[in-house]
């Protein structure tokens, strides 16, 4: 093998390698206790394969995500349905990262498209105390907003007409993972506001953790079609 070829092969290996395990406190977000954001959880090559495979599980592209009529169903992978290979590989990687202790027993695949109107996700709490969720983002940037749940337990969908400003907003990058445990999972609702662009500013709760953008030169990101996977596991 000549020198040039060897370099290319090494770079491919590097891109495919699982990320280093998280160290304690890494990826923490001020104002959202129990949340951890991992900018480069998946290599670009792995994220690309995952988007292709997750896109095949029969989710219709929709405007509303899981909270909308006709939105994706929660799939009982890991409980009543065996993991397909691509999910097995994702779960192995997330476990190696330290994103979850126990393997997921429920998964949803959301496929959002920004036309004819911007997509949105009505603020909701995933509920079920004793669980945690990992949200894996693919293909597009998108802001996820967090609202403190005003004392409601067991909930599900918060008032869609609620016009409160979010307590915290996070810009989710393609290939990232957001882990919600404890308070971030139980006490905050999360949702996606209907708009086509998101501001990149120091106001974002995870501004300091973003790695895929030139932050000195980028003021907005534009939303394109996005796939997200939510993986729920026992805490
Ligand atoms: O698409 C997202 O980032 C969030 C998905 C979500 O909240 C859910 O599936 O419960
Ligand atoms: Fe959710």
């Amino acid at each position: 093998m000549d020198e040039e070829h060897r370099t290319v092969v090494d770079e491919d290996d590097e891109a495919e390698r699982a990320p280093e395990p998280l160290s304690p406190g890494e990826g923490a977000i001020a104002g959202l206790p129990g949340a951890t954001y991992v900018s480069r959880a998946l290599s670009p090559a792995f994220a690309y394969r995952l988007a292709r495979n997750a896109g095949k599980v029969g989710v219709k592209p929709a405007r509303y995500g899981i909270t909308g009529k006709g939105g994706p169903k929660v799939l009982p992978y890991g409980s009543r349905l065996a993991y397909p290979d691509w999910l097995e590989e994702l779960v192995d990687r997330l476990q190696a990262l330290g994103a979850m202790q126990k393997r997921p027993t429920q998964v949803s695949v959301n496929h959002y498209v920004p036309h004819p109107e911007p997509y949105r996700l009505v603020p909701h709490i995933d509920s079920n105390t004793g669980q945690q969720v990992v949200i894996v983002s693919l293909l597009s940037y998108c802001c996820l907003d967090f609202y403190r749940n005003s004392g409601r337990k067991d909930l599900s969908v918060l008032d869609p007409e609620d016009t409160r400003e979010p307590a915290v907003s996070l810009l989710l990058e393609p290939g990232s993972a957001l882990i919600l445990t404890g308070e971030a999972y139980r006490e905050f609702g999360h949702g996606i506001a209907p708009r086509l662009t998101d501001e990149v500013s120091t106001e974002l709760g995870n501004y300091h953790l973003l790695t895929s953008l030139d932050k000195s030169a980028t003021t907005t990101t534009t939303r394109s079609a996005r796939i997200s996977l939510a993986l729920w596991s026992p805490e």
Side-chain angles (χ1 to χ4, degrees):
M1 198 193 296
D2 61 34
E3 201 54 43
E4 199 179 329
H5 188 209
R6 193 175 305 134
T7 308
V8 170
V9 170
D10 286 351
E11 276 173 9
D12 281 353
D13 287 346
E14 179 65 31
E16 279 294 287
R17 202 180 298 152
E20 294 294 312
L22 291 165
S23 38
E26 191 182 341
I29 293 161
L32 201 55
T36 303
Y37 180 75
V38 190
S39 172
R40 291 173 197 263
L42 310 177
S43 69
F46 184 80
Y48 175 77
R49 279 208 312 277
L50 183 59
R52 286 183 53 132
N53 284 315
K56 286 185 205 145
V57 293
V59 278
K60 277 195 283 173
R63 209 190 130 215
Y64 282 106
I66 197 156
T67 53
K69 239 181 153 181
K73 301 243 174 325
V74 173
L75 303 162
Y77 286 134
S79 47
R80 283 180 287 122
L81 267 183
Y83 289 168
D85 289 349
W86 59 266
L87 186 60
E88 192 84 52
E89 205 181 341
L90 174 65
V91 170
D92 285 350
R93 283 190 179 226
L94 293 173
Q95 284 204 300
L97 185 67
M100 55 179 65
Q101 308 307 317
K102 306 210 173 109
R103 292 163 70 78
T105 51
Q106 288 186 335
V107 176
S108 76
V109 181
N110 298 284
H111 193 165
Y112 307 92
V113 284
H115 43 75
E117 289 179 81
Y119 44 80
R120 78 177 294 197
L121 179 67
V122 175
H124 64 283
I125 293 181
D126 294 352
S127 144
N128 273 347
T129 311
Q131 283 199 321
Q132 65 146 67
V133 70
V134 179
I135 296 171
V136 169
S137 291
L138 302 169
L139 305 178
S140 177
Y141 290 92
C142 183
C143 217
L144 190 66
D145 300 316
F146 287 80
Y147 304 84
R148 195 166 259 291
N149 178 29
S150 34
R152 267 203 276 181
K153 297 284 169 205
D154 255 5
L155 119 44
S156 6
V157 179
L158 303 182
D159 180 358
E161 305 310 324
D162 192 336
T163 52
R164 273 185 305 166
E165 284 294 306
V168 180
S169 293
L170 306 180
L171 185 66
L172 306 183
E173 298 162 286
S176 69
L178 174 67
I179 306 153
L180 302 178
T181 64
E183 225 177 293
Y185 184 74
R186 284 191 312 270
E187 307 294 335
F188 287 83
H190 51 265
I192 297 172
R195 53 173 190 258
L196 287 172
T197 58
D198 293 301
E199 275 181 39
V200 180
S201 84
T202 51
E203 300 285 296
L204 292 167
N206 63 338
Y207 183 80
H208 60 299
L209 299 168
L210 300 172
T211 63
S212 68
L213 295 164
D214 175 357
K215 287 185 270 188
S216 63
T218 313
T219 53
T220 53
T221 51
T222 301
R223 293 185 194 171
S224 52
R226 171 172 182 265
I227 292 180
S228 71
L229 287 100
L231 302 101
W232 290 274
S233 48
E235 208 170 16

